[in-house]
């Protein structure tokens, strides 16, 4: 995981505006996951554990 952020206005049109974007590094380039705030902590924990 390389960071988290709020969705841009353009992204929020298609996503839940409450979502957070989690950016991860991969061999193919950055991967962006949209995660609702109530699920953010478990997702971040799973990503850290690998």
């Amino acid at each position: 995981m390389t960071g988290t952020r709020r969705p841009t206005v353009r992204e929020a049109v298609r996503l839940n505006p409450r979502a957070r974007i989690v950016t991860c590094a991969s061999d193919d380039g950055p991967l962006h996951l949209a995660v609702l705030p109530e699920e953010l902590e478990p997702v971040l924990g799973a990503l850290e554990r690998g």
Side-chain angles (χ1 to χ4, degrees):
M1 185 195 75
T2 59
T4 61
R5 63 176 174 81
R6 291 183 170 267
T8 64
V9 173
R10 186 174 184 181
E11 291 169 330
V13 170
R14 301 189 95 195
L15 302 172
N16 185 322
R18 294 179 41 236
R20 297 297 177 263
I21 307 300
V22 178
T23 304
C24 301
S26 77
D27 292 338
D28 295 325
L31 173 69
H32 306 283
L33 305 171
V35 181
L36 291 175
E38 57 270 16
E39 298 296 327
L40 188 59
E41 189 173 320
V43 168
L44 294 179
L47 289 170
E48 288 178 6
R49 287 190 302 275

